[in-house]
Amino acid sequence: MSSAYDEAVLDFRRRKDAHFAAGRGPVSTETFTGLTYYPPDEAWAFRVPLHTAPHAGAPFTLDTNTGEPRSMSAFGTVTVALPGGQRTLTVFAPLGEEQPARVFLPFRDATSGTQTYGAGRYLDAPLTREDGEVWVDVDFNMAYHPYCAYGEGWTCPLPPPGNRVPDGISVGERLPDGSSH
């Protein structure tokens, strides 16, 4: 029996697959049959407070797969309780956005290179502002591969060292069985 949460995650995945199948993604529509995912698991969805970075808004350079640096704002940090313990991760926003609706969380984990794309995965985490606090919805079920996982020609930011965690995050998008990206 699936929960309302599971159904919402599965619906999002169906819509993403339809988007890619319609030619609005990084894959060939001639061979695309859908992305591969781990089963949804609500235990990997966290609502955590945002800890604003001391120099939020200042440029932060992320390395990329092509060597072309990408500048973003290190907007703050979030701390999540992963199986191996508490992990503090940096979240990013586009330069110049003082109150973004969501933050970008690139990460690499123990599944990277075997079950998921070797360079890591991404999350787009919505922000909620309540009673003077800013909360981040970090839902690893929504983790996705960057476009560079599907082919050449894409410049993708790499997770900074602080966003490389030893834990295996076995939810979200994964490699197709037998694939070795």
Side-chain angles (χ1 to χ4, degrees):
M1 177 177 203
S2 67
S3 69
Y5 174 83
D6 290 354
E7 287 302 318
V9 170
L10 294 172
D11 180 60
F12 174 82
R13 292 173 178 179
R14 282 189 290 272
R15 289 183 286 119
K16 182 175 180 178
D17 281 357
H19 182 82
F20 278 23
R24 295 185 297 253
V27 297
S28 166
T29 57
E30 295 172 12
T31 59
F32 182 71
T33 58
L35 299 174
T36 305
Y37 301 95
Y38 292 100
D41 184 347
E42 195 169 1
W44 289 92
F46 305 91
R47 184 167 223 220
V48 294
L50 173 73
H51 301 284
T52 307
H55 303 290
F60 183 95
T61 302
L62 290 166
D63 292 330
T64 67
N65 64 312
T66 61
E68 179 184 322
R70 176 78 48 95
S71 290
M72 298 191 83
S73 166
F75 197 71
T77 61
V78 294
T79 301
V80 292
L82 298 178
Q86 299 274 352
R87 303 285 181 215
T88 298
L89 307 169
T90 302
V91 296
F92 299 89
L95 287 174
E97 278 197 37
E98 292 181 22
Q99 292 200 359
R102 62 185 60 249
V103 289
F104 173 63
L105 173 54
F107 69 96
R108 192 170 194 283
D109 69 290
T111 69
S112 298
T114 57
Q115 299 172 29
T116 63
Y117 182 56
R121 291 182 286 165
Y122 296 164
L123 277 178
D124 297 319
L127 300 179
T128 305
R129 292 166 175 83
E130 291 177 358
D131 301 323
E133 296 239 21
V134 180
W135 297 88
V136 185
D137 291 319
V138 178
D139 187 344
F140 288 104
N141 289 282
M142 300 301 185
Y144 62 95
H145 292 149
Y147 278 11
C148 54
Y150 304 105
E152 296 185 23
W154 303 98
T155 298
C156 301
L158 301 174
N163 284 14
R164 297 175 189 163
V165 297
D167 308 282
I169 299 175
S170 299
V171 292
E173 191 174 337
R174 62 174 293 160
L175 295 173
D177 293 334
S179 183
S180 60
H181 287 247

